Amino acid sequence: MNIHIPTPLRAYTDKQETVSIPGATVAEGLAALVAAHPALQQHLFTSEGKLRSFVNVYLNDDDVRWLPAGQATAVSPGDELSIIPSIAGGCSKEPSI
Amino acid sequence: MTLKLSNPLYRELRAHGEETYPHECCGILLGSADGSEITVQRLLRAGNTRTDSAHNRYNIAPQELISAQREARQAGLEIVGFYHSHPDHPAQWSATDFAEAHWLGCAYVITAVEQGRATVTNSFLLAGTREEDKSFRPQSIVLPSSAPHLDSD
């Protein structure tokens, strides 16, 4: 599968925007990605090994969190996995500077 | 690191904030970055999914980010930042902005919109190498110098 890497994490994939990784499931793909680029581990996963809450992983156009099998969802070689940190905010609280 | 914008793009992101007032607008900046400068070459308006609290919160749907990332890839660009507005609030990052900022190395542009009119626009670089040491640093917005104004009087 191809895994698309967001701009901030390309520093840890030798500047690659897209990484081709083997794997039969989403979880296997993510594990293979981290095995190939170990510095990604702390950016994608908590110390307990769970995907960080602000990291979205999409299999093609589907949020993996909402797929029935989650990260155990099977993937085929032509599938695309996108890693997308969330974007949010707003002026709901006073500036902290 | 400075943020370089064309005048039309600068006007566009400010106008977006005026159009959505009193709600927050948001969008994605595509371009390129080197060690000292982020250059914005394309601006993508995004919808604010926080319809429950759009006057003081914004959120961009991940699907829009994936589309933006795809568009950037096809154009040989990358996502280099984001913008949003602060209706009747200073153009300074808030605690919420900071807590929910995760794109290290990217620009976060904020425009204050007072009574429907865009006033101050500031940009902040999300510096750091990981969540635990991230910080917002003010960065200069560089616009092409305007053509000399010739007064006919």
Side-chain angles (χ1 to χ4, degrees):
Chain A
M1 77 191 83
N2 286 327
I3 303 182
H4 298 301
I5 310 297
T7 317
L9 298 185
R10 291 175 192 165
Y12 309 106
T13 59
D14 304 321
K15 310 279 187 195
Q16 294 178 87
E17 298 177 8
T18 302
V19 178
S20 292
I21 288 286
T25 65
V26 171
E28 286 184 16
L30 291 174
L33 176 68
V34 169
H37 304 283
L40 286 174
Q41 173 74 33
Q42 65 170 327
H43 296 282
L44 298 179
F45 298 99
T46 65
S47 54
E48 292 79 33
K50 293 187 175 180
L51 205 58
R52 285 182 178 252
S53 59
F54 58 84
V55 175
N56 300 295
V57 176
Y58 272 65
L59 177 59
N60 301 317
D61 292 320
D62 296 316
D63 187 338
V64 168
R65 286 191 180 92
W66 297 101
L67 292 174
Q71 292 186 33
T73 302
V75 297
S76 55
D79 280 335
E80 301 202 333
L81 209 61
S82 297
I83 296 171
I84 293 285
S86 62
I87 293 295
C91 60
S92 59
K93 292 180 182 173
E94 292 302 310
S96 56
I97 53 176
Chain B
M1 187 180 291
T2 59
L3 182 72
K4 189 176 175 185
L5 270 169
S6 69
N7 285 310
L9 290 179
Y10 181 71
R11 284 194 297 269
E12 167 70 14
L13 69 83
R14 286 165 58 85
H16 192 189
E18 293 181 342
E19 289 171 31
T20 61
Y21 181 88
H23 295 159
E24 295 196 9
C25 73
C26 49
I28 305 163
L29 306 175
L30 305 187
S32 58
D34 61 24
S36 62
E37 192 171 75
I38 294 173
T39 303
V40 180
Q41 292 174 282
R42 198 176 293 185
L43 178 156
L44 303 177
R45 289 186 175 206
N48 183 358
T49 67
R50 288 300 302 266
T51 52
D52 59 318
S53 188
H55 66 291
N56 64 4
R57 295 296 298 269
Y58 80 96
N59 181 76
I60 300 177
Q63 292 92 334
E64 287 203 75
L65 292 167
I66 289 172
S67 296
Q69 192 161 267
R70 187 177 297 132
E71 180 172 335
R73 201 161 52 241
Q74 291 168 348
L77 303 173
E78 56 189 11
I79 294 175
V80 292
F82 308 92
Y83 71 89
H84 72 282
S85 61
H86 280 180
D88 297 319
H89 199 85
Q92 294 292 326
W93 57 272
S94 68
T96 303
D97 287 328
F98 182 71
E100 305 206 26
H102 307 295
W103 287 66
L104 298 166
C106 287
Y108 284 73
V109 179
I110 302 173
T111 297
V113 182
E114 297 177 10
Q115 299 301 313
R117 287 198 60 188
T119 57
V120 178
T121 296
N122 288 323
S123 186
F124 303 91
L125 176 73
L126 186 63
T129 58
R130 60 188 195 280
E131 276 294 301
E132 292 71 22
D133 70 3
K134 69 181 182 181
S135 64
F136 269 137
R137 293 184 187 165
Q139 62 179 166
S140 301
I141 297 177
V142 178
L143 301 172
S145 47
S146 302
H149 176 71
L150 300 176
D151 197 330
S152 57
D153 290 337

